[in-house]
Amino acid sequence: MTDFSQPLSQDFPQPFDVAIVGAGAAGLYTALCLPSHWRVALMTKDDLTLSASDWAQGGIAAVMAPDDSPAFHVVDTLRAGAGLCEVESVEFLVNQARACVQSLVELGVAFDRRNTELALTREAAHSRSRVLHAADTTGRAVVTTLMAQVLRRDNITVLAESFVLDLWLVGDPVRCRGVKVLVRQQVQWLQAGAVVLATGGGGQVFAHTTNPPLSTGDGVAIAHRAGAQLRDLEFFQFHPTALMHPEAPCFLISEAVRGEGAQVLDAAGDRFLFRYHPDGELAPRDVVSRAIFQHLQDLGTPQGQVFLDLRSIPGDRIRYRFPNIIQVCQHWGIDLFQEPIPVAPAAHYWMGGVVTDLQGQTSITGLYAVGETASTGVHGANRLASNSLLECLVFGQQLKQLQLPLSLPLLRPDPQVKSLTLPPWQVDQPWIDQVRHQLPALVWQSAGICRHQEGLEQAVAQVDTWRQQFAQLALTQAFQAIAPGQGVTLVAAPPSSVLRQWGELGSLLEIAALILKGAAFRQESRGGHYRLDYPHSQEQWQVHTLVEGDRWFKSEPVTPPPMAIPLDLATS
């Protein structure tokens, strides 16, 4: 255990051994897996009741049935990943799955059962029934259980409403020693032996997304500003069936609904997906999303919708499996037992992220990443359904092997918390509101389901202009002037909600630029990335795209999997 002494301030009983940024499934499970004698800070910009994991409906994929095997799960994952999965990472994920599920059961997660056995269902692109679920609120069941366990642990300090702005980097070579965090009206420097980024994805950068409002890509933006290596940021998965209602927020209609037999129809009742892929509704998500997009284009209704028809599924089965979806649809006046649900694609999951090894280590010493923030190599160009919660668990538990140095010099920041009078922030507010509204629409239009060089270049130019303007805001310049280790109390500060809005916009501008530039860099179509001007996969692009700072480059060719998987399988 690290030998730390006095705390920085009375607000944080620090230094901590490990600071975790994010309190979804990845952050919570990581905190529980760390040694119980370590002092752990768990930071969340909301509170413990809100996370993207909480919205996860589908389930957790794991080999549990006699007719299944890890080899089948590996092949399914590699097929979905369209040639960019790291085979070693996929095998590791699959082989650890059963033990992680057992761990959740022991912690108290109430998965659905058939008699005494865990119930399994099949989802798109899985060759076997291997998805465990808790009705249609699996993420909520997992997060609620993990949250209760975290709150029982004396060694874990939960810091709610804590918005992390940047990493605290020291030394040569650089080491991460903590974070710069905004807590209500104060800026603090929280010191730790290691920092774990577990902030989830960035779906809010798109106008249509199944992600909750807090999914603004903060972890990836923080890591990029610190110079960490990022990978495959152009690969965003678009879920094909999000509820489309003029008054309703975008709500995910789970993959499992199609796995149970729901059919996708157009307004004329045509079950059109089989014209695009032989598996129809059970084709990979990116194929289904593009098929819906293209079909609506062909019909002359590009902003329209299709329909998800559950009427072929027995009513008792629907009530048992999808009570939350029933409730949400009823709230918006949709009786899914009598009529199909209007749906359309929406941004759902980010395959790219901060590059890590199998132990979660990033390219910066002392900095780790888990969950959707990380790029572990398991998802490739297109995530297999229900592998995401599994990834949170498998790689979160790897942090129990984290080795802290026997001793680290205590950082000695300014002991006095100073006052900083902010310039009139009200002048920034109209610009922040305007760009926060315009940015997701721009990214959806230019880097949504289908992309083109001209649109990408125009969007990059606009986002770069906004980033320059953001850097000139009074709030931005005030925060940049705070020296490392200098605690600050903000005077004449805006409400915490405004400060968070400012910080999240900074993250969104950062990740928008990364997604757009990554999409322009990769001149082919593969998995979740589809280029109208380069509609086919190319063997020379069977590489990862990497970025450090402003430098974009290719990895070495990805080692092909040890079986024949057609290159265009997930883009055909």
Side-chain angles (χ1 to χ4, degrees):
M1 183 173 178
T2 307
D3 182 17
F4 286 132
S5 54
Q6 296 302 312
L8 282 179
S9 73
Q10 295 179 352
D11 296 301
F12 292 142
Q14 56 175 315
F16 290 94
D17 292 298
V18 178
I20 301 172
V21 187
L28 292 166
Y29 197 69
T30 298
L32 292 171
C33 290
L34 291 171
S36 60
H37 61 279
W38 283 6
R39 298 182 61 251
V40 178
L42 181 64
M43 290 171 281
T44 170
K45 63 183 180 182
D46 272 305
D47 56 43
L48 280 188
T49 64
L50 295 171
S51 76
S53 302
D54 190 52
W55 288 35
Q57 296 179 22
I60 299 175
V63 173
M64 309 292 289
D67 67 340
D68 199 3
S69 77
F72 293 154
H73 192 178
V74 168
V75 169
D76 292 344
T77 301
L78 294 175
R79 285 181 179 275
L84 288 190
C85 294
E86 296 293 331
V87 177
E88 180 185 8
S89 298
V90 173
E91 291 176 341
F92 183 79
L93 177 85
V94 167
N95 289 327
Q96 297 292 318
R98 191 183 186 98
C100 283
V101 167
Q102 185 59 41
S103 173
L104 289 184
V105 171
E106 292 172 359
L107 287 171
V109 177
F111 290 112
D112 291 346
R113 292 178 179 268
R114 290 192 179 95
N115 298 321
T116 60
E117 298 296 320
L118 291 169
L120 301 172
T121 191
R122 181 183 174 191
E123 293 186 0
H126 285 273
S127 61
R128 298 291 190 278
S129 295
R130 66 168 66 97
V131 179
L132 297 98
H133 46 82
D136 57 349
T137 54
T138 306
R140 185 179 305 163
V142 170
V143 167
T144 300
T145 302
L146 297 180
M147 185 192 316
Q149 294 289 336
V150 161
L151 294 175
R152 294 191 186 108
R153 302 289 179 94
D154 292 336
N155 68 309
I156 301 173
T157 300
V158 177
L159 302 175
E161 298 181 34
S162 300
F163 190 91
V164 174
L165 299 170
D166 286 301
L167 300 177
W168 194 357
L169 304 177
V170 300
D172 186 14
V174 166
R175 181 182 182 92
C176 183
R177 290 295 309 276
V179 295
K180 177 184 180 182
V181 58
L182 175 63
V183 185
R184 299 178 181 89
Q185 307 295 319
Q186 284 195 336
V187 175
Q188 298 254 1
W189 294 82
L190 188 148
Q191 187 176 164
V195 172
V196 181
L197 297 176
T199 59
Q204 286 295 319
V205 78
F206 292 95
H208 303 291
T209 179
T210 63
N211 290 186
L214 56 79
S215 296
T216 53
D218 304 317
V220 173
I222 290 165
H224 182 243
R225 288 195 293 271
Q229 187 175 95
L230 312 179
R231 179 168 63 188
D232 294 341
L233 300 174
E234 64 272 27
F235 291 114
F236 221 102
Q237 189 173 75
F238 297 91
H239 199 287
T241 55
L243 173 66
M244 294 299 289
H245 185 280
E247 299 176 6
C250 198
F251 173 76
L252 173 70
I253 306 297
S254 170
E255 188 92 36
V257 175
R258 285 179 287 129
E260 292 288 347
Q263 300 175 358
V264 176
L265 311 173
D266 64 16
D270 180 13
R271 194 178 176 188
F272 62 90
L273 287 177
F274 286 94
R275 297 207 295 273
Y276 295 87
H277 195 282
D279 290 339
E281 286 86 4
L282 295 180
R285 286 177 175 175
D286 66 300
V287 175
V288 177
S289 293
R290 279 197 305 278
I292 293 172
F293 176 85
Q294 186 60 55
H295 193 67
L296 291 173
Q297 293 279 340
D298 293 344
L299 292 176
T301 57
Q303 302 302 319
Q305 59 200 20
V306 295
F307 298 90
L308 190 62
D309 191 349
L310 283 70
R311 289 175 292 184
S312 63
I313 307 172
D316 289 345
R317 183 65 179 165
I318 296 174
R319 293 183 185 92
Y320 171 69
R321 285 287 284 113
F322 309 116
N324 189 48
I325 293 175
I326 294 171
Q327 183 179 10
V328 170
C329 287
Q330 286 177 340
H331 178 77
W332 298 107
I334 302 167
D335 182 356
L336 56 77
F337 295 97
Q338 302 296 327
E339 60 185 324
I341 305 169
V343 294
H348 183 57
Y349 189 89
W350 202 0
M351 275 77 73
V354 187
V355 180
T356 71
D357 61 16
L358 295 183
Q359 284 70 49
Q361 173 70 60
T362 73
S363 60
I364 296 176
T365 302
L367 178 66
Y368 298 80
V370 291
E372 193 171 351
T373 305
S375 175
T376 61
V378 301
H379 301 309
N382 191 33
R383 175 182 69 102
L384 181 67
S386 290
N387 270 355
S388 51
L389 279 175
L390 176 62
E391 182 191 31
C392 292
L393 304 173
V394 167
F395 291 93
Q397 77 170 0
Q398 285 302 99
L399 271 294
K400 67 185 178 184
Q401 302 178 34
L402 190 156
Q403 297 292 318
L404 295 177
L406 294 177
S407 63
L408 284 171
L410 180 67
L411 301 178
R412 300 191 179 279
D414 189 334
Q416 299 298 318
V417 176
K418 300 181 179 180
S419 296
L420 174 64
T421 301
L422 292 179
W425 55 268
Q426 292 86 348
V427 299
D428 295 342
Q429 190 64 43
W431 184 91
I432 292 173
D433 291 340
Q434 179 183 6
V435 175
R436 181 65 182 86
H437 175 72
Q438 293 178 347
L439 176 64
L442 175 70
V443 178
W444 178 259
Q445 181 179 13
S446 56
I449 295 170
C450 294
R451 303 158 175 185
H452 190 279
Q453 187 73 21
E454 182 180 359
L456 291 168
E457 290 177 351
Q458 291 174 353
V460 166
Q462 179 60 73
V463 171
D464 283 347
T465 297
W466 282 335
R467 293 175 70 200
Q468 293 167 10
Q469 293 169 344
F470 181 84
Q472 298 304 313
L473 295 180
L475 283 174
T476 307
Q477 297 202 335
F479 279 102
Q480 287 178 342
I482 299 173
Q486 182 185 71
V488 167
T489 297
L490 304 175
V491 179
S496 296
S497 60
V498 174
L499 289 173
R500 174 171 160 177
Q501 184 185 33
W502 162 82
E504 289 182 333
L505 179 58
S507 295
L508 289 168
L509 287 168
E510 193 97 23
I511 67 167
L514 291 167
I515 292 169
L516 290 164
K517 291 175 182 178
F521 184 62
R522 180 176 288 275
Q523 296 181 342
E524 67 154 0
S525 291
R526 183 187 297 267
H529 168 70
Y530 187 78
R531 290 279 300 262
L532 292 167
D533 45 350
Y534 297 97
H536 303 291
S537 297
Q538 304 293 333
E539 186 173 358
Q540 65 267 30
W541 278 100
Q542 194 163 343
V543 296
H544 297 296
T545 54
L546 301 166
V547 58
E548 291 180 0
D550 294 328
R551 185 171 72 96
W552 289 86
F553 55 103
K554 299 178 182 179
S555 73
E556 294 296 318
V558 176
T559 303
M563 78 285 289
I565 295 179
L567 186 63
D568 273 339
L569 180 72
T571 55
S572 58

